């Protein structure tokens, strides 16, 4: 992943600005205030999945170690923003509700309650929504908690699709569950008198 002070390249700035109906106005704003966050519309160039920082980090770990990687990723307002293919914001919540690990299916109430404890609050922003993104250049009046982790660096960055993010969510939850599971000892393996 990129370093904490990641810069948006000119091609990445073009891509971000393309989400707006007025990309030249976005570029003009950045020219005057390059260190200020901007609010951009979702749904055309990208959707955004917003996760809490800990769960978002677990998702990123899965995407980078066992998956295809990520597109642009930012931190803002105490949340991790994962940029995704347009349409993801509409499909991902439905797939998460449907997926068995979230308490669906014909399992008993105890299993449903146990799995519901691990569901993180994900916010999905798509067509008709807007998100605040870090500035193209770090610094200025921008708080240090608002920054790019993986800055857009090309005109058409690869963006994870709905299935890729669903996969990352499931793996992150299962990884959490495995880490919290108490270790059991098989006493049958001990011999008397040892």
């Amino acid at each position: 992943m990129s370093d904490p002070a990641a810069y948006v390249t000119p091609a990445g700035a073009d891509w971000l600005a393309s989400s707006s109906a007025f990309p030249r106005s976005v570029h003009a704003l950045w020219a005057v205030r390059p260190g200020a966050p901007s609010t951009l519309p979702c749904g055309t160039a990208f959707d955004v999945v917003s996760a809490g920082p800990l769960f978002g980090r677990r998702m990123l770990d899965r995407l980078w170690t066992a998956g295809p990687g990520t597109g642009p990723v930012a931190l803002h307002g105490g949340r991790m923003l994962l940029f995704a293919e347009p349409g993801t914001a509409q499909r991902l919540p439905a797939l998460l509700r449907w997926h068995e690990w979230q308490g669906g299916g014909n399992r008993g109430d105890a299993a449903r309650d146990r799995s519901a404890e691990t569901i993180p609050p994900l916010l999905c922003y798509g067509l008709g929504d807007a998100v605040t993104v870090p500035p193209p250049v770090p610094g200025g009046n921008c708080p240090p908690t608002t920054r790019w982790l993986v800055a857009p660096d090309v005109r058409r960055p690869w963006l994870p699709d709905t299935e890729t993010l669903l996969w990352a969510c499931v793996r992150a939850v299962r990884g959490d569950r495995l880490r919290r599971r108490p270790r059991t000892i098989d006493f049958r393996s001990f011999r008397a008198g040892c």
Side-chain angles (χ1 to χ4, degrees), residues 135-151:
V137 178
N141 294 333
C142 188
T145 56
T146 298
R147 67 181 189 274
W148 289 102
L149 296 178
V150 179

Side-chain angles (χ1 to χ4, degrees), residues 63-124:
L63 287 165
W64 280 102
T65 59
T70 66
V73 179
L75 290 177
H76 177 71
R79 306 279 296 176
M80 187 171 290
L81 309 176
L82 292 95
F83 287 70
E85 280 186 357
T88 299
Q90 181 181 358
R91 293 186 59 220
L92 185 60
L95 287 174
L96 287 171
R97 282 190 302 275
W98 172 82
H99 203 276
E100 188 174 288
W101 66 271
Q102 193 176 10
N106 294 323
R107 299 180 309 161
D109 287 337
R112 213 173 289 124
D113 291 341
R114 194 169 52 249
S115 65
E117 293 173 1
T118 62
I119 303 303
L122 295 179
L123 305 173
C124 298

